[in-house]
């Protein structure tokens, strides 16, 4: 029976039962963590060979990778990820250990110098605004906030950002300079941006002549099922619709090899690459090409990456399955939450009754379960309905995922029963 | 006999002789390079063990260095470089592979957010200017140029920047927000900033309340003699003179281990570190801690770094000696050039007759010798007297250094003789 249909006395009894369960939970003194999308030690172990690579120190063209230079990164590694991301090798460069930093640098270049197709630096505009599909990735929002860029939210659908809403916003407002998308297995909704939505975003008229799609393909290869969803070919779509410089594409091996010591990639039109590298050359003499060679020797080729990702799937898919099992068994009958069953990525998006997300997180904390702060998936951490919670089950061992999710379910039920009790 | 004292016919004959020597040089079809301060393959080989490190993946406190986090870098590596640079461990952080990038990021933070002690972001000032001792490091000037910061030159003396000239400039002009110094074995003059000059720079009154000394200690440990010059203790001097936040200190292992895959360091007052890390945390989830652990296991401790630098010295000191020998033997008697004999660092500064530096570089190019463009050590590449040439002898094998320097000497003599011939 849905909780909302219970009588007042049924509700009271239900709340009592759940509070007892919660008290027992607290008494267990758990210390579990579902906050961050971090790989587990078992996943990191898959790349242990990297620690004793590379053998030798020469690139295919004889370049000594130990020395300075090579702003675009090791060509052979760029070739692998060009293949995987469906771009040309001259449309991609390999950088340091963090795609987040590359995103920041891209924004700073736009602010200080303007994008490749800007009339002037963005900092000379009266106002710069970005469209943020929500729920979305908190660090994207923090970047914008720290740079004084205003955020306008639009809904994230299961097919990607709400393209119609975006088209309506951007057509007359030149202050809207860009938007975020995590196109494949979005953080946190798991949504995959369809070819149709991507085509709508690349072709829509924008008042800003230099409108940018920040296409953060962080989970492009992070499949949780045997069906390996292909990302929309954003660069080709953009070129075909006459806006070749609109997308700037980010990716990394942070959740493929080592989260702290992977390789980040930046892709775009050849002109966008030249623009980026032109500014990059002022602040860098080149990336860590030894780490590039290390990754090249480890992967060997694009299939090496795909095979490696299948090993990740074998480790983390059971954890995601456990999240689904517990949520379904514990919450299904009560109609107090909805959640997605992602086909890839790192997160499960849990929507609870409006006004209870913060309470769930608070209750969980009281029971020793660390959850991402409610609202984290919204700009400024502000979820207008206080209903969204992001779950990250990759890091803990599966038995801890089970225990944590059982606890989360109890907290959701307590918060929901409290809410309905107060309302009646 | 000094070239300037030769009679017209003596000069004509001398020029003829040198032109013949130059033609023979061209006929040899040399292809030599003295342009960049890059380590040689033999130097890089000293760190070959790094390629198969680290063993294991745990920091001393148990942190898995493969995963995300640890914005300040591996504590144990910070401890080693705190020791070497004479700072406290909470005054230093370890970052990525490029101190140039850290300098850029520091400038961008100052522009977009203001320094730790700024009243407002530097970008909100009418004008931002920096003092640049010359000759200096070209990439420092390029950073400022790319960010729209104006440059004011002052002389670089053998004791460091001309502190009196700087004090006079900064005392009344609040638009002067900072200055560059390469304090130890400066690029390119080899000068070492004395404790007295450092004290004058840290204590001088400045109209800008947030004046910054960008202290790029790139060659702190790069001794060419057995006397290991100690860098001035800039942070202590600054704190003692009541300006603790004035210095921002940069260093790296780029010319200690691998030029492209070392570790960069940023140091300053504890408040400066907090300021830097606060902004860093928006754009990064942490540096490559595996590379930190790799360097830690390789060096073991501060003495490990010192012993390692002695091996570098054994390789490159003979090259610097060869530069001195050829310049002295070939140019000494003619009084057409002066040069320094650096006790450390990566460069020899060659001052030729005013108006001939570009011609020397042009002649050298014609003979297959790549030299850094004349004027490179001045803002915008503009040496007002066209007299300065930077020589970088570390990369080529010693026999190539000899051949290249013989060629350079011939070019200097041709250019000088041409100059005096035209003048008479």
């Amino acid at each position: 029976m849905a909780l909302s249909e219970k009588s007042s006395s049924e509700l009271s009894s239900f709340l009592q039962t759940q509070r007892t369960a919660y008290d027992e939970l607290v008494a267990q003194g758990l210390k579990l963590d579902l906050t961050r999308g971090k790989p587990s030690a078992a996943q990191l172990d898959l790349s242990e060979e990297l620690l004793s690579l590379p053998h030798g120190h020469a690139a295919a063209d004889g370049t000594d990778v130990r020395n300075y230079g090579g702003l675009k990164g090791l060509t052979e590694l760029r070739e692998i990820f060009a293949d995987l991301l469906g771009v040309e090798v001259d449309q991609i460069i390999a950088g340091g250990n963090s795609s987040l930093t590359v995103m920041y640098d891209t924004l700073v270049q736009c602010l200080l110098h303007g994008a490749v197709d800007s009339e002037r630096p963005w900092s000379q505009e009266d106002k710069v605004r970005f469209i943020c599909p929500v729920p979305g990735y908190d660090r994207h929002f923090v970047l914008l906030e720290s740079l004084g860029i205003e955020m306008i939210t639009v809904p994230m659908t299961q097919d990607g950002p709400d393209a119609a809403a975006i088209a309506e916003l951007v057509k007359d407002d030149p202050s809207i300079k860009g938007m975020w998308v995590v196109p494949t297995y979005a953080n946190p909704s798991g949504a995959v941006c369809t070819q149709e939505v991507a085509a709508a975003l690349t072709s829509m008229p924008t008042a800003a002549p230099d409108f940018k799609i920040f296409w953060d393909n962080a989970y492009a290869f992070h499949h949780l099922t045997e069906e390996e969803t292909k990302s929309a070919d954003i660069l080709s779509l953009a070129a075909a619709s006459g806006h070749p410089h609109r997308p700037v594409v980010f990716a990394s091996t942070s959740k493929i090899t080592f989260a702290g010591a992977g390789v980040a990639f930046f892709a775009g039109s050849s002109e966008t690459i030249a623009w980026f590298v032109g500014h990059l050359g002022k602040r860098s003499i080149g990336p860590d090409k030894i780490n590039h060679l290390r990754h090249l020797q480890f992967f060997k080729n694009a299939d090496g990456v795909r095979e490696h990702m299948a090993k990740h799937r074998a480790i983390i898919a059971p954890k995601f399955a456990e999240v689904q099992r517990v949520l379904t068994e514990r919450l299904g009958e009560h109609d107090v939450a909805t959640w997605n069953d992602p086909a890839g990525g790192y997160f499960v998006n849990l929507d609870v009754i409006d006004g209870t997300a913060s309470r769930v997180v608070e209750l969980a904390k009281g029971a020793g379960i660390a959850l991402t702060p409610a609202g984290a998936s919204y700009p400024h951490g502000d979820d207008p309905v206080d209903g969204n919670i992001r779950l990250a089950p990759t890091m803990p061992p599966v038995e801890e995922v089970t225990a944590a999710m059982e606890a989360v379910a109890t907290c959701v039920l307590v918060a929901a029963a409290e809410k309905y009790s107060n309302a009646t």
Side-chain angles (χ1 to χ4, degrees), chain A residues 36 49 204 252 302:
Chain A
R36 278 280 156 207
E49 185 191 346
M204 66 188 177
S252 84

Side-chain angles (χ1 to χ4, degrees), chain A residues 129-133 150-154 169 173 175-176 379:
Chain A
R129 307 204 287 173
F130 252 60
I131 289 174
C132 298
E150 287 186 16
M151 294 176 261
I152 307 166
T153 60
V154 298
L169 285 165
D173 186 345
S175 77
I176 304 181

Side-chain angles (χ1 to χ4, degrees), chain A residues 6 168 186 233 253 272 313 355:
Chain A
K6 285 190 195 293
E168 187 62 27
D233 183 359
T253 72
T272 299
R313 189 180 73 219

Side-chain angles (χ1 to χ4, degrees), chain A residues 186-255:
Chain A
N187 174 353
S189 75
V192 175
C193 183
T194 63
Q195 193 84 359
E196 291 69 29
V197 168
L201 295 174
T202 54
S203 62
M204 66 188 177
T206 62
D210 52 352
F211 183 85
K212 292 280 162 280
I213 299 172
F214 277 59
W215 184 266
D216 180 6
N217 214 350
Y219 309 104
F221 322 115
H222 302 60
H223 316 290
L224 284 167
T225 73
E226 290 195 13
E227 186 186 329
E228 302 193 347
T229 302
K230 199 171 170 307
S231 297
D233 183 359
I234 192 75
L235 291 186
S236 298
L237 288 170
S241 63
H243 304 122
H245 315 315
R246 186 173 288 182
V248 285
V249 176
F250 308 95
S252 84
T253 72
S254 293
K255 294 188 181 83

Side-chain angles (χ1 to χ4, degrees), chain A residues 76-95:
Chain A
E76 302 90 290
L77 187 66
R78 291 164 56 210
E79 285 169 349
I80 290 180
F81 280 82
D83 180 347
L84 288 165
L85 291 166
V87 304
E88 302 296 321
V89 70
D90 72 340
Q91 294 179 320
I92 189 168
I93 60 174

Side-chain angles (χ1 to χ4, degrees), chain A residues 92-384:
Chain A
I92 189 168
I93 60 174
N97 77 322
S98 167
S99 60
L100 186 70
T101 300
V102 182
M103 296 172 212
Y104 173 85
D105 288 338
T106 306
L107 285 168
V108 167
Q109 282 186 199
C110 289
L111 284 168
L112 296 179
H113 310 293
V116 66
D117 47 3
S118 295
E119 290 164 343
R120 54 189 162 266
W122 288 6
S123 59
Q124 289 175 19
E125 306 286 350
D126 287 338
K127 184 177 285 192
V128 177
R129 307 204 287 173
F130 252 60
I131 289 174
C132 298
V134 289
Y137 178 32
D138 55 349
R139 288 190 185 268
H140 286 167
F141 306 149
V142 168
L143 283 187
L144 297 179
E145 188 178 16
S146 78
L147 294 170
I149 297 173
E150 287 186 16
M151 294 176 261
I152 307 166
T153 60
V154 298
M156 187 72 180
T157 78
Q158 275 310 303
D159 294 329
D162 183 336
I166 295 169
E168 187 62 27
L169 285 165
V170 298
K171 72 183 170 57
D172 298 318
D173 186 345
S175 77
I176 304 181
K177 287 291 195 183
M179 64 174 289
W180 287 108
V181 198
V182 180
T184 303
Y185 309 135
N187 174 353
S189 75
V192 175
C193 183
T194 63
Q195 193 84 359
E196 291 69 29
V197 168
L201 295 174
T202 54
S203 62
M204 66 188 177
T206 62
D210 52 352
F211 183 85
K212 292 280 162 280
I213 299 172
F214 277 59
W215 184 266
D216 180 6
N217 214 350
Y219 309 104
F221 322 115
H222 302 60
H223 316 290
L224 284 167
T225 73
E226 290 195 13
E227 186 186 329
E228 302 193 347
T229 302
K230 199 171 170 307
S231 297
D233 183 359
I234 192 75
L235 291 186
S236 298
L237 288 170
S241 63
H243 304 122
H245 315 315
R246 186 173 288 182
V248 285
V249 176
F250 308 95
S252 84
T253 72
S254 293
K255 294 188 181 83
I256 298 177
T257 56
F258 293 141
V263 178
F265 297 90
F266 174 88
S269 67
S270 304
E271 292 84 347
T272 299
I273 294 295
W275 164 83
F276 189 83
V277 171
H279 291 293
L280 178 64
K282 314 286 189 187
R283 65 178 184 267
S284 169
I285 314 182
D288 182 344
K289 298 184 300 300
I290 293 182
N291 206 31
H292 293 181
L293 184 61
R294 191 175 282 132
H295 278 74
L296 171 70
Q297 293 182 356
F298 179 65
F299 290 133
K300 297 182 180 66
N301 50 45
D303 277 338
V305 177
R306 292 188 190 100
E307 287 157 20
H308 185 74
M309 292 314 294
K311 296 177 191 166
H312 278 286
R313 189 180 73 219
I315 294 171
I316 65 175
K319 299 181 184 182
F320 281 84
E322 194 60 5
V323 172
Q324 296 298 317
R325 184 190 64 77
V326 176
L327 288 174
T328 304
E329 290 182 12
R330 294 286 311 282
L331 302 182
E333 65 181 306
H334 302 297
D335 196 19
V336 291
T338 57
W339 57 91
N340 67 320
D341 185 4
Y346 258 58
F347 301 100
V348 175
N349 190 57
L350 176 65
D351 286 308
V352 294
I353 293 171
D354 287 359
T356 67
S358 303
R359 177 65 177 149
V360 170
V361 173
E362 181 190 30
L363 285 165
K365 187 179 178 188
I369 317 293
L371 296 182
T372 306
S377 298
Y378 290 74
H380 313 294
D382 180 23
D383 172 3

